[in-house]
Every structure is written in structure tokens, then in C-alpha cells.
Amino acid sequence: MTPSLPDESTLSKASWSATLIGVEALRRGGWTPQIAWRWDVAMHADDDAAVPAGFLVVRRPLAWFHDVLPGLVRPRADNDLFCLRPVWALADLLAHGRNRDHGPAWFGGLTPDDVQPMPASDAERADWRAACAAFGLDAAREARWLAEGGSTAELI
């Protein structure tokens, strides 16, 4: 039996802050072939919307939502969620999603070699630097860490 995908339209109608982050944001941007069995969404602490099955809610402060404004993809339709652009989703995973239980190579269920975008454009490299700065990361060091782990992302 194949699990169904999370009900994005129900959450987008109920929540004023739900923003798609993590693996699904990377997949939508073509940066990983991995398909998440549950989708990570950032929601403001004061957003008390009911969350349908299939989503993992990560509560973020208002400052986070302001910080990621330059990295948001607006919904294509009324039933879609806001979503982080791939480099912003990647930087967010590195800043907030590293799983210490599985060692430093795992973040958001991915390993660096799961991050396989098409060659990054100059705009994406600039976006990477902006995203890393927003999350307090060293863009060059994180890009090297990804490359050493097998990622094809050429971000510096």
C-alpha cells in the first residue's frame, strides 16, 4: 500500500503561517529525488490551526518568518502552501535540522549526497550566501561540507 501525500490544501486554508520547509521544499525545486513520507512545515507559535496527518510542525518565532521572506516561493494556487526556495530550505535544514542522533552527516533525513541539483546559477549562489547569512551559517564552510559528503551542489 502506497502512503498518500499530505493534504496541503487543508493546511493552507487553516493556517496563516504554514510554510513548507525541508525535504519536500528541496524536492519541489529539483534539488533531491527523495520523496518525504511526511512534510515539514514551519508554523508560528501563535498559529493554532489544526494540522492534518502527514505534516511535522516545527514552531518558529516571528523573526524566522521575517528572515526567510527573501527565500519564499509564493503559492501557485489558493490551495498551496508558501514554500522555501531550495537553497533556503537547504540552509534551514543545516541550521535547524541536523540530527545529532545519526551524526553530523544526517539532516532532515538526507545525507549530503542526496542533494543533487542541476548546476547552480549565479543567482542561486547569491541566494545561498543570503540564506546562510540569515541563519548564521558560514556559506563556504557549509558548501564544502556538502561537497565532501557527495553533494553535486556547487554553491561557492
Side-chain angles (χ1 to χ4, degrees):
M1 182 168 139
T2 304
S4 61
L5 294 175
D7 185 359
E8 184 174 358
S9 65
T10 299
L11 184 57
S12 71
K13 290 175 186 172
S15 170
W16 55 269
S17 71
T19 302
L20 193 61
I21 60 174
V23 176
E24 180 59 15
L26 286 171
R27 189 197 65 76
R28 285 187 183 189
W31 280 54
T32 186
Q34 302 304 317
I35 299 173
W37 61 273
R38 56 117 173 101
W39 294 355
D40 297 343
V41 291
M43 290 176 64
H44 187 272
D46 292 337
D47 187 342
D48 59 358
V51 179
F55 291 97
L56 174 67
V57 173
V58 179
R59 297 291 175 177
R60 296 285 167 82
L62 185 58
W64 182 89
F65 290 91
H66 287 287
D67 291 344
V68 301
L69 278 174
L72 282 181
V73 175
R74 298 206 179 280
R76 295 177 306 241
D78 289 340
N79 296 336
D80 290 346
L81 294 170
F82 280 90
C83 181
L84 289 182
R85 288 198 308 262
V87 292
W88 284 80
L90 182 56
D92 182 63
L93 277 170
L94 291 169
H96 300 104
R98 291 191 211 226
N99 187 338
R100 305 299 185 230
D101 295 337
H102 291 87
W106 287 87
F107 59 102
L110 300 176
T111 59
D113 64 343
D114 290 321
V115 180
Q116 304 293 330
M118 299 301 289
S121 67
D122 289 340
E124 286 170 319
R125 286 187 194 90
D127 217 20
W128 169 250
R129 291 187 299 273
C132 286
F135 295 124
L137 299 171
D138 179 317
R141 186 175 75 210
E142 296 296 347
R144 282 192 303 275
W145 180 81
L146 287 163
E148 289 167 3
S151 174
T152 61
E154 295 176 359
L155 297 168
I156 52 172

